Amino acid sequence: MARVTAGTSDIEKAAGVLRAGGLVALPTETVYGLGANAEDPAAVARIFQVKGRPPSHPLIVHIGGAEQLDDWVEDVPATARLLAEHFWPGPLTLVLRRGSRVPLEATGGLDTVAVRVPDHPVALALLAAFAGGVTAPSANRFGQVSPTTANDVRDELGDAVDFVLDGGPCQVGVESTIVDVTGEAPSILRPGGVTREDLEAVLGFPLAVPSASHIRVPGQHPSHYAPRARVVLVEPEKVIAEAERAQELGHRVGVFVPAPFAGAPVKAHTVVAVPASMAAYARGLYGFLRELDQRGCDLIVASVPAQEGLGLAIANRLRRAAGPRSTV
């Protein structure tokens, strides 16, 4: 359970800000979101302005419960209801046909909309107090490292946010899994906090994870989740050698040392020991990247974990952070 620091008066104030067309940073179990009234095109447009986000990049609409789904989408197939029943509230986003209640500004002009129910007491309390849907991408500048604490939001966006709700550190730490349920067979458009294995166990069949999709979704820009430092990815057994080589060439190197090599001496500016638990790694990933930026690293050397369980989501975030030049 998340540590809750926002009280009832804070939540009521935040709901009032949303009603007035303002922006509220809110905690979820995944990352902090930059929220606006999902039915207010002007407020939605302000999200894009504050983040520097391309208007064609769709947002996720957060709702208070699965029973509200029909209010926001045109059609809910049985597969979507099954997934919502098992994983909501939780880090799962469903892509469905847009209902008339959702303005095109929130969907990047698409006829589909991404919807989820967050699993955080403060977010759910805000949605109940506001009695509406909230569009909420991550509360950071477009393409940069997502925030997992209220202080991250304040450091990143400052006065551009009208109100910040503090719900403590995020417990999942990477964004939600996005599943397209508009076609004949569902597919994972973005790996995230619900694993492919868990989804397949409920559905009873394998899920594809296409490298590209005709449906635009958050987090699939070629460079995303990126710190200021350049990120390079190498094989796990080469991480230490590559970090030391770059340090000798004059870089201020931050290195993610994989768990099997924990305790090995490393000549680098800053060393992060990667947790053996993928849940702990996901929870700490964005914090690690922010820390290396704060310590003045200009190069981060890392490897991607095995692409199973939450390792698939971590690998996706590291590859996006590295951008098109993901290896050396």
Side-chain angles (χ1 to χ4, degrees), residues 3 10 80 94 109 136:
R3 176 175 61 86
D10 294 322
L94 299 176

XYZ file of all heavy atoms in Angstrom, residues 3 10 80 94 109 136:
41
model
N 2.219 4.951 0.748
C 2.178 5.869 1.880
C 1.385 7.096 1.450
O 1.708 7.768 0.491
C 3.600 6.272 2.278
C 3.652 7.306 3.396
C 5.094 7.556 3.820
N 5.896 8.065 2.726
C 5.985 9.363 2.415
N 5.285 10.264 3.082
N 6.758 9.764 1.411
N -6.811 18.317 0.851
C -5.987 18.384 -0.360
C -6.728 17.807 -1.556
O -6.674 18.349 -2.665
C -4.680 17.607 -0.156
C -3.775 18.228 0.895
O -3.705 19.468 0.949
O -3.150 17.471 1.647
N -12.190 -7.292 -22.970
C -11.895 -6.111 -22.164
C -12.515 -6.230 -20.778
O -11.886 -5.894 -19.770
C -12.402 -4.858 -22.870
N -6.418 -0.265 -21.182
C -7.105 -0.908 -22.306
C -7.379 0.126 -23.392
O -7.877 1.218 -23.104
C -8.417 -1.540 -21.842
C -8.295 -2.631 -20.778
C -9.681 -3.100 -20.353
C -7.459 -3.800 -21.292
N -6.409 12.714 -31.856
C -7.177 12.644 -33.086
C -7.622 11.254 -33.476
O -8.258 11.074 -34.515
N -4.191 11.810 -17.754
C -3.001 11.995 -16.925
C -1.805 11.233 -17.480
O -1.549 10.093 -17.090
C -3.279 11.548 -15.484
